[in-house]
PDB file of all heavy atoms in Angstrom:
ATOM      1  N   VAL A   1     164.237 145.495  86.381  1.00  0.00           N
ATOM      2  CA  VAL A   1     164.436 144.793  87.653  1.00  0.00           C
ATOM      3  C   VAL A   1     165.321 145.601  88.595  1.00  0.00           C
ATOM      4  O   VAL A   1     165.182 145.499  89.827  1.00  0.00           O
ATOM      5  CB  VAL A   1     165.008 143.372  87.442  1.00  0.00           C
ATOM      6  CG1 VAL A   1     164.040 142.512  86.647  1.00  0.00           C
ATOM      7  CG2 VAL A   1     166.364 143.402  86.763  1.00  0.00           C
ATOM      8  N   MET A   2     166.233 146.412  88.043  1.00  0.00           N
ATOM      9  CA  MET A   2     167.050 147.274  88.910  1.00  0.00           C
ATOM     10  C   MET A   2     166.194 148.295  89.655  1.00  0.00           C
ATOM     11  O   MET A   2     166.514 148.695  90.778  1.00  0.00           O
ATOM     12  CB  MET A   2     168.090 148.029  88.070  1.00  0.00           C
ATOM     13  CG  MET A   2     169.296 147.222  87.667  1.00  0.00           C
ATOM     14  SD  MET A   2     170.451 148.232  86.698  1.00  0.00           S
ATOM     15  CE  MET A   2     171.831 147.097  86.511  1.00  0.00           C
ATOM     16  N   GLY A   3     165.092 148.704  89.037  1.00  0.00           N
ATOM     17  CA  GLY A   3     164.239 149.728  89.629  1.00  0.00           C
ATOM     18  C   GLY A   3     163.172 149.204  90.568  1.00  0.00           C
ATOM     19  O   GLY A   3     162.420 149.996  91.160  1.00  0.00           O
ATOM     20  N   ILE A   4     163.078 147.891  90.724  1.00  0.00           N
ATOM     21  CA  ILE A   4     162.063 147.319  91.613  1.00  0.00           C
ATOM     22  C   ILE A   4     162.415 147.634  93.076  1.00  0.00           C
ATOM     23  O   ILE A   4     163.560 147.453  93.499  1.00  0.00           O
ATOM     24  CB  ILE A   4     161.949 145.798  91.418  1.00  0.00           C
ATOM     25  CG1 ILE A   4     161.444 145.481  90.000  1.00  0.00           C
ATOM     26  CG2 ILE A   4     161.012 145.175  92.460  1.00  0.00           C
ATOM     27  CD1 ILE A   4     161.436 144.004  89.673  1.00  0.00           C
ATOM     28  N   ALA A   5     161.429 148.101  93.818  1.00  0.00           N
ATOM     29  CA  ALA A   5     161.646 148.429  95.231  1.00  0.00           C
ATOM     30  C   ALA A   5     161.767 147.154  96.054  1.00  0.00           C
ATOM     31  O   ALA A   5     160.916 146.269  95.975  1.00  0.00           O
ATOM     32  CB  ALA A   5     160.490 149.277  95.747  1.00  0.00           C
ATOM     33  N   ASN A   6     162.821 147.078  96.840  1.00  0.00           N
ATOM     34  CA  ASN A   6     163.064 145.913  97.691  1.00  0.00           C
ATOM     35  C   ASN A   6     162.606 146.232  99.111  1.00  0.00           C
ATOM     36  O   ASN A   6     163.112 147.166  99.734  1.00  0.00           O
ATOM     37  CB  ASN A   6     164.557 145.576  97.679  1.00  0.00           C
ATOM     38  CG  ASN A   6     164.866 144.289  98.426  1.00  0.00           C
ATOM     39  OD1 ASN A   6     164.040 143.751  99.158  1.00  0.00           O
ATOM     40  ND2 ASN A   6     166.079 143.787  98.240  1.00  0.00           N
ATOM     41  N   PRO A   7     161.624 145.474  99.641  1.00  0.00           N
ATOM     42  CA  PRO A   7     161.143 145.739 101.012  1.00  0.00           C
ATOM     43  C   PRO A   7     162.261 145.684 102.048  1.00  0.00           C
ATOM     44  O   PRO A   7     162.190 146.333 103.086  1.00  0.00           O
ATOM     45  CB  PRO A   7     160.116 144.621 101.248  1.00  0.00           C
ATOM     46  CG  PRO A   7     159.700 144.188  99.885  1.00  0.00           C
ATOM     47  CD  PRO A   7     160.902 144.363  99.013  1.00  0.00           C
ATOM     48  N   GLY A   8     163.316 144.907 101.751  1.00  0.00           N
ATOM     49  CA  GLY A   8     164.424 144.795 102.686  1.00  0.00           C
ATOM     50  C   GLY A   8     165.380 145.970 102.622  1.00  0.00           C
ATOM     51  O   GLY A   8     166.316 146.057 103.426  1.00  0.00           O
ATOM     52  N   GLY A   9     165.171 146.878 101.674  1.00  0.00           N
ATOM     53  CA  GLY A   9     166.007 148.062 101.550  1.00  0.00           C
ATOM     54  C   GLY A   9     167.255 147.874 100.714  1.00  0.00           C
ATOM     55  O   GLY A   9     167.956 148.834 100.403  1.00  0.00           O
ATOM     56  N   LYS A  10     167.573 146.641 100.332  1.00  0.00           N
ATOM     57  CA  LYS A  10     168.758 146.386  99.518  1.00  0.00           C
ATOM     58  C   LYS A  10     168.462 146.622  98.045  1.00  0.00           C
ATOM     59  O   LYS A  10     167.335 146.522  97.605  1.00  0.00           O
ATOM     60  CB  LYS A  10     169.259 144.952  99.732  1.00  0.00           C
ATOM     61  CG  LYS A  10     169.775 144.681 101.138  1.00  0.00           C
ATOM     62  CD  LYS A  10     170.299 143.254 101.252  1.00  0.00           C
ATOM     63  CE  LYS A  10     170.837 142.983 102.651  1.00  0.00           C
ATOM     64  NZ  LYS A  10     171.344 141.587 102.790  1.00  0.00           N
ATOM     65  N   SER A  11     169.527 146.911  97.295  1.00  0.00           N
ATOM     66  CA  SER A  11     169.390 147.156  95.866  1.00  0.00           C
ATOM     67  C   SER A  11     169.415 145.835  95.099  1.00  0.00           C
ATOM     68  O   SER A  11     170.132 144.892  95.464  1.00  0.00           O
ATOM     69  CB  SER A  11     170.526 148.052  95.377  1.00  0.00           C
ATOM     70  OG  SER A  11     170.526 148.129  93.969  1.00  0.00           O
ATOM     71  N   PHE A  12     168.638 145.780  94.022  1.00  0.00           N
ATOM     72  CA  PHE A  12     168.643 144.615  93.144  1.00  0.00           C
ATOM     73  C   PHE A  12     169.637 144.780  91.989  1.00  0.00           C
ATOM     74  O   PHE A  12     169.671 143.938  91.089  1.00  0.00           O
ATOM     75  CB  PHE A  12     167.249 144.365  92.578  1.00  0.00           C
ATOM     76  CG  PHE A  12     166.297 143.724  93.559  1.00  0.00           C
ATOM     77  CD1 PHE A  12     165.000 144.199  93.699  1.00  0.00           C
ATOM     78  CD2 PHE A  12     166.697 142.647  94.333  1.00  0.00           C
ATOM     79  CE1 PHE A  12     164.124 143.618  94.591  1.00  0.00           C
ATOM     80  CE2 PHE A  12     165.823 142.054  95.243  1.00  0.00           C
ATOM     81  CZ  PHE A  12     164.530 142.539  95.373  1.00  0.00           C
ATOM     82  N   ILE A  13     170.433 145.853  92.012  1.00  0.00           N
ATOM     83  CA  ILE A  13     171.386 146.085  90.924  1.00  0.00           C
ATOM     84  C   ILE A  13     172.408 144.949  90.805  1.00  0.00           C
ATOM     85  O   ILE A  13     172.640 144.438  89.695  1.00  0.00           O
ATOM     86  CB  ILE A  13     172.089 147.451  91.086  1.00  0.00           C
ATOM     87  CG1 ILE A  13     171.075 148.587  90.877  1.00  0.00           C
ATOM     88  CG2 ILE A  13     173.256 147.585  90.112  1.00  0.00           C
ATOM     89  CD1 ILE A  13     171.652 149.984  91.081  1.00  0.00           C
ATOM     90  N   PRO A  14     173.037 144.490  91.913  1.00  0.00           N
ATOM     91  CA  PRO A  14     173.978 143.364  91.782  1.00  0.00           C
ATOM     92  C   PRO A  14     173.313 142.117  91.210  1.00  0.00           C
ATOM     93  O   PRO A  14     173.905 141.417  90.387  1.00  0.00           O
ATOM     94  CB  PRO A  14     174.458 143.132  93.223  1.00  0.00           C
ATOM     95  CG  PRO A  14     174.245 144.442  93.907  1.00  0.00           C
ATOM     96  CD  PRO A  14     172.999 145.005  93.288  1.00  0.00           C
ATOM     97  N   ALA A  15     172.085 141.841  91.655  1.00  0.00           N
ATOM     98  CA  ALA A  15     171.366 140.669  91.157  1.00  0.00           C
ATOM     99  C   ALA A  15     171.118 140.782  89.651  1.00  0.00           C
ATOM    100  O   ALA A  15     171.266 139.805  88.910  1.00  0.00           O
ATOM    101  CB  ALA A  15     170.040 140.504  91.899  1.00  0.00           C
ATOM    102  N   ALA A  16     170.748 141.983  89.196  1.00  0.00           N
ATOM    103  CA  ALA A  16     170.493 142.194  87.770  1.00  0.00           C
ATOM    104  C   ALA A  16     171.764 142.004  86.948  1.00  0.00           C
ATOM    105  O   ALA A  16     171.734 141.407  85.859  1.00  0.00           O
ATOM    106  CB  ALA A  16     169.915 143.585  87.536  1.00  0.00           C
ATOM    107  N   LEU A  17     172.887 142.496  87.455  1.00  0.00           N
ATOM    108  CA  LEU A  17     174.164 142.356  86.735  1.00  0.00           C
ATOM    109  C   LEU A  17     174.597 140.890  86.680  1.00  0.00           C
ATOM    110  O   LEU A  17     175.103 140.424  85.656  1.00  0.00           O
ATOM    111  CB  LEU A  17     175.234 143.205  87.410  1.00  0.00           C
ATOM    112  CG  LEU A  17     174.997 144.726  87.367  1.00  0.00           C
ATOM    113  CD1 LEU A  17     176.100 145.461  88.123  1.00  0.00           C
ATOM    114  CD2 LEU A  17     174.913 145.219  85.920  1.00  0.00           C
ATOM    115  N   ILE A  18     174.394 140.169  87.779  1.00  0.00           N
ATOM    116  CA  ILE A  18     174.698 138.737  87.786  1.00  0.00           C
ATOM    117  C   ILE A  18     173.797 138.011  86.797  1.00  0.00           C
ATOM    118  O   ILE A  18     174.223 137.086  86.090  1.00  0.00           O
ATOM    119  CB  ILE A  18     174.537 138.154  89.202  1.00  0.00           C
ATOM    120  CG1 ILE A  18     175.648 138.701  90.112  1.00  0.00           C
ATOM    121  CG2 ILE A  18     174.570 136.628  89.177  1.00  0.00           C
ATOM    122  CD1 ILE A  18     175.464 138.366  91.576  1.00  0.00           C
ATOM    123  N   GLY A  19     172.546 138.446  86.716  1.00  0.00           N
ATOM    124  CA  GLY A  19     171.624 137.874  85.738  1.00  0.00           C
ATOM    125  C   GLY A  19     172.115 138.070  84.314  1.00  0.00           C
ATOM    126  O   GLY A  19     171.975 137.185  83.460  1.00  0.00           O
ATOM    127  N   ASN A  20     172.718 139.218  84.040  1.00  0.00           N
ATOM    128  CA  ASN A  20     173.294 139.465  82.718  1.00  0.00           C
ATOM    129  C   ASN A  20     174.432 138.489  82.421  1.00  0.00           C
ATOM    130  O   ASN A  20     174.569 138.004  81.292  1.00  0.00           O
ATOM    131  CB  ASN A  20     173.805 140.905  82.612  1.00  0.00           C
ATOM    132  CG  ASN A  20     172.720 141.887  82.190  1.00  0.00           C
ATOM    133  OD1 ASN A  20     172.737 142.421  81.093  1.00  0.00           O
ATOM    134  ND2 ASN A  20     171.750 142.111  83.064  1.00  0.00           N
ATOM    135  N   LEU A  21     175.265 138.225  83.427  1.00  0.00           N
ATOM    136  CA  LEU A  21     176.338 137.244  83.237  1.00  0.00           C
ATOM    137  C   LEU A  21     175.766 135.861  82.929  1.00  0.00           C
ATOM    138  O   LEU A  21     176.278 135.129  82.069  1.00  0.00           O
ATOM    139  CB  LEU A  21     177.212 137.171  84.491  1.00  0.00           C
ATOM    140  CG  LEU A  21     178.091 138.388  84.802  1.00  0.00           C
ATOM    141  CD1 LEU A  21     178.823 138.180  86.131  1.00  0.00           C
ATOM    142  CD2 LEU A  21     179.101 138.608  83.677  1.00  0.00           C
ATOM    143  N   GLY A  22     174.696 135.508  83.643  1.00  0.00           N
ATOM    144  CA  GLY A  22     174.041 134.227  83.378  1.00  0.00           C
ATOM    145  C   GLY A  22     173.502 134.161  81.961  1.00  0.00           C
ATOM    146  O   GLY A  22     173.619 133.126  81.285  1.00  0.00           O
ATOM    147  N   ALA A  23     172.904 135.269  81.487  1.00  0.00           N
ATOM    148  CA  ALA A  23     172.370 135.304  80.125  1.00  0.00           C
ATOM    149  C   ALA A  23     173.477 135.160  79.093  1.00  0.00           C
ATOM    150  O   ALA A  23     173.286 134.519  78.050  1.00  0.00           O
ATOM    151  CB  ALA A  23     171.605 136.603  79.910  1.00  0.00           C
ATOM    152  N   ILE A  24     174.635 135.754  79.348  1.00  0.00           N
ATOM    153  CA  ILE A  24     175.764 135.627  78.420  1.00  0.00           C
ATOM    154  C   ILE A  24     176.208 134.168  78.322  1.00  0.00           C
ATOM    155  O   ILE A  24     176.453 133.649  77.225  1.00  0.00           O
ATOM    156  CB  ILE A  24     176.936 136.520  78.879  1.00  0.00           C
ATOM    157  CG1 ILE A  24     176.566 137.999  78.701  1.00  0.00           C
ATOM    158  CG2 ILE A  24     178.205 136.199  78.090  1.00  0.00           C
ATOM    159  CD1 ILE A  24     177.564 138.966  79.318  1.00  0.00           C
ATOM    160  N   ILE A  25     176.292 133.495  79.478  1.00  0.00           N
ATOM    161  CA  ILE A  25     176.656 132.076  79.477  1.00  0.00           C
ATOM    162  C   ILE A  25     175.617 131.263  78.706  1.00  0.00           C
ATOM    163  O   ILE A  25     175.958 130.394  77.891  1.00  0.00           O
ATOM    164  CB  ILE A  25     176.798 131.556  80.925  1.00  0.00           C
ATOM    165  CG1 ILE A  25     177.982 132.242  81.605  1.00  0.00           C
ATOM    166  CG2 ILE A  25     176.959 130.036  80.950  1.00  0.00           C
ATOM    167  CD1 ILE A  25     178.082 131.980  83.092  1.00  0.00           C
ATOM    168  N   GLY A  26     174.343 131.572  78.929  1.00  0.00           N
ATOM    169  CA  GLY A  26     173.278 130.888  78.199  1.00  0.00           C
ATOM    170  C   GLY A  26     173.351 131.134  76.698  1.00  0.00           C
ATOM    171  O   GLY A  26     173.101 130.235  75.884  1.00  0.00           O
ATOM    172  N   SER A  27     173.728 132.358  76.314  1.00  0.00           N
ATOM    173  CA  SER A  27     173.821 132.687  74.884  1.00  0.00           C
ATOM    174  C   SER A  27     174.926 131.897  74.201  1.00  0.00           C
ATOM    175  O   SER A  27     174.788 131.482  73.045  1.00  0.00           O
ATOM    176  CB  SER A  27     174.075 134.194  74.715  1.00  0.00           C
ATOM    177  OG  SER A  27     175.408 134.550  75.073  1.00  0.00           O
ATOM    178  N   ILE A  28     176.027 131.682  74.924  1.00  0.00           N
ATOM    179  CA  ILE A  28     177.141 130.902  74.361  1.00  0.00           C
ATOM    180  C   ILE A  28     176.698 129.463  74.126  1.00  0.00           C
ATOM    181  O   ILE A  28     176.936 128.883  73.052  1.00  0.00           O
ATOM    182  CB  ILE A  28     178.356 130.950  75.300  1.00  0.00           C
ATOM    183  CG1 ILE A  28     178.890 132.382  75.407  1.00  0.00           C
ATOM    184  CG2 ILE A  28     179.462 130.003  74.818  1.00  0.00           C
ATOM    185  CD1 ILE A  28     179.936 132.579  76.496  1.00  0.00           C
ATOM    186  N   VAL A  29     176.039 128.881  75.125  1.00  0.00           N
ATOM    187  CA  VAL A  29     175.573 127.500  75.004  1.00  0.00           C
ATOM    188  C   VAL A  29     174.565 127.369  73.869  1.00  0.00           C
ATOM    189  O   VAL A  29     174.665 126.477  73.013  1.00  0.00           O
ATOM    190  CB  VAL A  29     174.952 127.022  76.334  1.00  0.00           C
ATOM    191  CG1 VAL A  29     174.300 125.653  76.165  1.00  0.00           C
ATOM    192  CG2 VAL A  29     176.014 126.972  77.428  1.00  0.00           C
ATOM    193  N   SER A  30     173.576 128.261  73.827  1.00  0.00           N
ATOM    194  CA  SER A  30     172.541 128.210  72.791  1.00  0.00           C
ATOM    195  C   SER A  30     173.142 128.311  71.398  1.00  0.00           C
ATOM    196  O   SER A  30     172.811 127.532  70.495  1.00  0.00           O
ATOM    197  CB  SER A  30     171.531 129.349  73.007  1.00  0.00           C
ATOM    198  OG  SER A  30     170.600 129.388  71.955  1.00  0.00           O
ATOM    199  N   THR A  31     174.053 129.263  71.208  1.00  0.00           N
ATOM    200  CA  THR A  31     174.655 129.481  69.895  1.00  0.00           C
ATOM    201  C   THR A  31     175.533 128.311  69.482  1.00  0.00           C
ATOM    202  O   THR A  31     175.485 127.855  68.327  1.00  0.00           O
ATOM    203  CB  THR A  31     175.490 130.780  69.895  1.00  0.00           C
ATOM    204  OG1 THR A  31     174.660 131.868  70.306  1.00  0.00           O
ATOM    205  CG2 THR A  31     176.046 131.071  68.520  1.00  0.00           C
ATOM    206  N   ARG A  32     176.342 127.821  70.403  1.00  0.00           N
ATOM    207  CA  ARG A  32     177.231 126.710  70.089  1.00  0.00           C
ATOM    208  C   ARG A  32     176.462 125.431  69.752  1.00  0.00           C
ATOM    209  O   ARG A  32     176.847 124.677  68.851  1.00  0.00           O
ATOM    210  CB  ARG A  32     178.177 126.458  71.263  1.00  0.00           C
ATOM    211  CG  ARG A  32     179.312 127.471  71.379  1.00  0.00           C
ATOM    212  CD  ARG A  32     180.280 127.316  70.226  1.00  0.00           C
ATOM    213  NE  ARG A  32     181.466 128.152  70.372  1.00  0.00           N
ATOM    214  CZ  ARG A  32     182.519 128.096  69.577  1.00  0.00           C
ATOM    215  NH1 ARG A  32     182.531 127.237  68.575  1.00  0.00           N
ATOM    216  NH2 ARG A  32     183.544 128.889  69.745  1.00  0.00           N
ATOM    217  N   VAL A  33     175.377 125.153  70.488  1.00  0.00           N
ATOM    218  CA  VAL A  33     174.563 123.968  70.192  1.00  0.00           C
ATOM    219  C   VAL A  33     173.928 124.103  68.814  1.00  0.00           C
ATOM    220  O   VAL A  33     173.911 123.148  68.022  1.00  0.00           O
ATOM    221  CB  VAL A  33     173.483 123.758  71.273  1.00  0.00           C
ATOM    222  CG1 VAL A  33     172.523 122.640  70.863  1.00  0.00           C
ATOM    223  CG2 VAL A  33     174.119 123.425  72.614  1.00  0.00           C
ATOM    224  N   MET A  34     173.434 125.297  68.499  1.00  0.00           N
ATOM    225  CA  MET A  34     172.836 125.525  67.183  1.00  0.00           C
ATOM    226  C   MET A  34     173.859 125.325  66.068  1.00  0.00           C
ATOM    227  O   MET A  34     173.553 124.751  65.011  1.00  0.00           O
ATOM    228  CB  MET A  34     172.252 126.941  67.123  1.00  0.00           C
ATOM    229  CG  MET A  34     171.492 127.237  65.833  1.00  0.00           C
ATOM    230  SD  MET A  34     170.057 126.163  65.632  1.00  0.00           S
ATOM    231  CE  MET A  34     169.410 126.760  64.071  1.00  0.00           C
ATOM    232  N   LEU A  35     175.080 125.779  66.282  1.00  0.00           N
ATOM    233  CA  LEU A  35     176.127 125.622  65.269  1.00  0.00           C
ATOM    234  C   LEU A  35     176.478 124.156  65.034  1.00  0.00           C
ATOM    235  O   LEU A  35     176.873 123.780  63.921  1.00  0.00           O
ATOM    236  CB  LEU A  35     177.378 126.402  65.676  1.00  0.00           C
ATOM    237  CG  LEU A  35     177.272 127.930  65.582  1.00  0.00           C
ATOM    238  CD1 LEU A  35     178.527 128.586  66.154  1.00  0.00           C
ATOM    239  CD2 LEU A  35     177.056 128.376  64.139  1.00  0.00           C
ATOM    240  N   LEU A  36     176.341 123.331  66.055  1.00  0.00           N
ATOM    241  CA  LEU A  36     176.565 121.894  65.870  1.00  0.00           C
ATOM    242  C   LEU A  36     175.560 121.322  64.876  1.00  0.00           C
ATOM    243  O   LEU A  36     175.910 120.510  64.008  1.00  0.00           O
ATOM    244  CB  LEU A  36     176.456 121.156  67.207  1.00  0.00           C
ATOM    245  CG  LEU A  36     177.551 121.421  68.248  1.00  0.00           C
ATOM    246  CD1 LEU A  36     177.232 120.676  69.541  1.00  0.00           C
ATOM    247  CD2 LEU A  36     178.908 120.984  67.717  1.00  0.00           C
ATOM    248  N   PHE A  37     174.305 121.758  65.005  1.00  0.00           N
ATOM    249  CA  PHE A  37     173.262 121.295  64.080  1.00  0.00           C
ATOM    250  C   PHE A  37     173.517 121.787  62.661  1.00  0.00           C
ATOM    251  O   PHE A  37     173.451 121.033  61.694  1.00  0.00           O
ATOM    252  CB  PHE A  37     171.882 121.776  64.548  1.00  0.00           C
ATOM    253  CG  PHE A  37     171.363 121.113  65.794  1.00  0.00           C
ATOM    254  CD1 PHE A  37     170.901 121.869  66.863  1.00  0.00           C
ATOM    255  CD2 PHE A  37     171.327 119.732  65.908  1.00  0.00           C
ATOM    256  CE1 PHE A  37     170.411 121.270  68.012  1.00  0.00           C
ATOM    257  CE2 PHE A  37     170.851 119.110  67.052  1.00  0.00           C
ATOM    258  CZ  PHE A  37     170.388 119.890  68.107  1.00  0.00           C
ATOM    259  N   THR A  38     173.787 123.091  62.532  1.00  0.00           N
ATOM    260  CA  THR A  38     173.902 123.684  61.194  1.00  0.00           C
ATOM    261  C   THR A  38     175.179 123.251  60.478  1.00  0.00           C
ATOM    262  O   THR A  38     175.199 123.123  59.247  1.00  0.00           O
ATOM    263  CB  THR A  38     173.855 125.222  61.276  1.00  0.00           C
ATOM    264  OG1 THR A  38     174.884 125.695  62.157  1.00  0.00           O
ATOM    265  CG2 THR A  38     172.502 125.689  61.795  1.00  0.00           C
ATOM    266  N   ALA A  39     176.261 123.022  61.224  1.00  0.00           N
ATOM    267  CA  ALA A  39     177.507 122.578  60.596  1.00  0.00           C
ATOM    268  C   ALA A  39     177.330 121.201  59.954  1.00  0.00           C
ATOM    269  O   ALA A  39     177.901 120.917  58.892  1.00  0.00           O
ATOM    270  CB  ALA A  39     178.632 122.548  61.629  1.00  0.00           C
ATOM    271  N   LYS A  40     176.551 120.338  60.614  1.00  0.00           N
ATOM    272  CA  LYS A  40     176.281 119.015  60.039  1.00  0.00           C
ATOM    273  C   LYS A  40     175.475 119.131  58.750  1.00  0.00           C
ATOM    274  O   LYS A  40     175.650 118.342  57.817  1.00  0.00           O
ATOM    275  CB  LYS A  40     175.522 118.149  61.044  1.00  0.00           C
ATOM    276  CG  LYS A  40     176.371 117.674  62.220  1.00  0.00           C
ATOM    277  CD  LYS A  40     175.550 116.798  63.153  1.00  0.00           C
ATOM    278  CE  LYS A  40     176.387 116.336  64.344  1.00  0.00           C
ATOM    279  NZ  LYS A  40     175.581 115.509  65.291  1.00  0.00           N
ATOM    280  N   LEU A  41     174.598 120.113  58.708  1.00  0.00           N
ATOM    281  CA  LEU A  41     173.720 120.267  57.545  1.00  0.00           C
ATOM    282  C   LEU A  41     174.414 120.938  56.369  1.00  0.00           C
ATOM    283  O   LEU A  41     174.312 120.495  55.219  1.00  0.00           O
ATOM    284  CB  LEU A  41     172.484 121.079  57.954  1.00  0.00           C
ATOM    285  CG  LEU A  41     171.430 121.315  56.868  1.00  0.00           C
ATOM    286  CD1 LEU A  41     170.829 119.990  56.410  1.00  0.00           C
ATOM    287  CD2 LEU A  41     170.327 122.240  57.390  1.00  0.00           C
ATOM    288  N   TYR A  42     175.136 122.022  56.631  1.00  0.00           N
ATOM    289  CA  TYR A  42     175.713 122.828  55.552  1.00  0.00           C
ATOM    290  C   TYR A  42     177.218 122.633  55.363  1.00  0.00           C
ATOM    291  O   TYR A  42     177.766 123.032  54.328  1.00  0.00           O
ATOM    292  CB  TYR A  42     175.472 124.323  55.817  1.00  0.00           C
ATOM    293  CG  TYR A  42     174.019 124.725  55.841  1.00  0.00           C
ATOM    294  CD1 TYR A  42     173.443 125.254  56.998  1.00  0.00           C
ATOM    295  CD2 TYR A  42     173.219 124.600  54.711  1.00  0.00           C
ATOM    296  CE1 TYR A  42     172.112 125.634  57.018  1.00  0.00           C
ATOM    297  CE2 TYR A  42     171.887 124.972  54.727  1.00  0.00           C
ATOM    298  CZ  TYR A  42     171.339 125.500  55.888  1.00  0.00           C
ATOM    299  OH  TYR A  42     170.025 125.885  55.902  1.00  0.00           O
ATOM    300  N   GLY A  43     177.904 122.071  56.363  1.00  0.00           N
ATOM    301  CA  GLY A  43     179.357 122.082  56.318  1.00  0.00           C
ATOM    302  C   GLY A  43     179.867 123.447  56.774  1.00  0.00           C
ATOM    303  O   GLY A  43     179.087 124.381  56.920  1.00  0.00           O
ATOM    304  N   LYS A  44     181.173 123.581  56.965  1.00  0.00           N
ATOM    305  CA  LYS A  44     181.714 124.819  57.514  1.00  0.00           C
ATOM    306  C   LYS A  44     182.353 125.744  56.483  1.00  0.00           C
ATOM    307  O   LYS A  44     182.821 126.821  56.836  1.00  0.00           O
ATOM    308  CB  LYS A  44     182.749 124.494  58.601  1.00  0.00           C
ATOM    309  CG  LYS A  44     182.140 123.863  59.843  1.00  0.00           C
ATOM    310  CD  LYS A  44     183.150 123.783  60.973  1.00  0.00           C
ATOM    311  CE  LYS A  44     182.507 123.268  62.246  1.00  0.00           C
ATOM    312  NZ  LYS A  44     183.458 123.225  63.377  1.00  0.00           N
ATOM    313  N   GLU A  45     182.355 125.345  55.226  1.00  0.00           N
ATOM    314  CA  GLU A  45     183.036 126.159  54.226  1.00  0.00           C
ATOM    315  C   GLU A  45     182.089 126.849  53.250  1.00  0.00           C
ATOM    316  O   GLU A  45     182.487 127.765  52.549  1.00  0.00           O
ATOM    317  CB  GLU A  45     184.022 125.285  53.434  1.00  0.00           C
ATOM    318  CG  GLU A  45     185.105 124.655  54.297  1.00  0.00           C
ATOM    319  CD  GLU A  45     185.899 125.687  55.071  1.00  0.00           C
ATOM    320  OE1 GLU A  45     186.181 126.772  54.510  1.00  0.00           O
ATOM    321  OE2 GLU A  45     186.229 125.418  56.246  1.00  0.00           O
ATOM    322  N   ARG A  46     180.853 126.439  53.204  1.00  0.00           N
ATOM    323  CA  ARG A  46     179.908 127.001  52.237  1.00  0.00           C
ATOM    324  C   ARG A  46     179.615 128.465  52.567  1.00  0.00           C
ATOM    325  O   ARG A  46     179.231 128.787  53.692  1.00  0.00           O
ATOM    326  CB  ARG A  46     178.613 126.186  52.278  1.00  0.00           C
ATOM    327  CG  ARG A  46     177.587 126.577  51.234  1.00  0.00           C
ATOM    328  CD  ARG A  46     176.434 125.587  51.308  1.00  0.00           C
ATOM    329  NE  ARG A  46     175.297 126.017  50.523  1.00  0.00           N
ATOM    330  CZ  ARG A  46     174.124 125.396  50.514  1.00  0.00           C
ATOM    331  NH1 ARG A  46     173.959 124.301  51.252  1.00  0.00           N
ATOM    332  NH2 ARG A  46     173.123 125.843  49.776  1.00  0.00           N
ATOM    333  N   PRO A  47     179.798 129.366  51.615  1.00  0.00           N
ATOM    334  CA  PRO A  47     179.563 130.793  51.900  1.00  0.00           C
ATOM    335  C   PRO A  47     178.081 131.103  52.079  1.00  0.00           C
ATOM    336  O   PRO A  47     177.220 130.408  51.532  1.00  0.00           O
ATOM    337  CB  PRO A  47     180.129 131.504  50.663  1.00  0.00           C
ATOM    338  CG  PRO A  47     180.041 130.478  49.581  1.00  0.00           C
ATOM    339  CD  PRO A  47     180.256 129.153  50.234  1.00  0.00           C
ATOM    340  N   CYS A  48     177.798 132.146  52.843  1.00  0.00           N
ATOM    341  CA  CYS A  48     176.403 132.536  53.066  1.00  0.00           C
ATOM    342  C   CYS A  48     175.767 133.059  51.794  1.00  0.00           C
ATOM    343  O   CYS A  48     174.619 132.780  51.486  1.00  0.00           O
ATOM    344  CB  CYS A  48     176.344 133.602  54.164  1.00  0.00           C
ATOM    345  SG  CYS A  48     174.681 134.038  54.651  1.00  0.00           S
TER     346      CYS A  48
END
């Protein structure tokens, strides 16, 4: 997406970097919600 040509002449690099920040926030939410499910099933002390 950084390499996509913008007809307006502006760079999409800032947009791509902001998108990465959004993905990081999404990853935290996804992982934390999943851990809520798995902690109920396995408990938090059982070794892998």
Side-chain angles (χ1 to χ4, degrees):
V1 298
M2 282 181 174
I4 295 174
N6 186 347
K10 294 182 179 179
S11 171
F12 283 135
I13 292 177
L17 295 178
I18 291 171
N20 274 249
L21 291 176
I24 291 171
I25 294 171
S27 73
I28 296 170
V29 173
S30 175
T31 304
R32 284 292 187 173
V33 172
M34 185 62 180
L35 288 174
L36 292 176
F37 290 129
T38 56
K40 288 181 181 178
L41 181 63
Y42 297 118
K44 292 190 175 182
E45 299 303 321
R46 185 174 169 186
C48 186

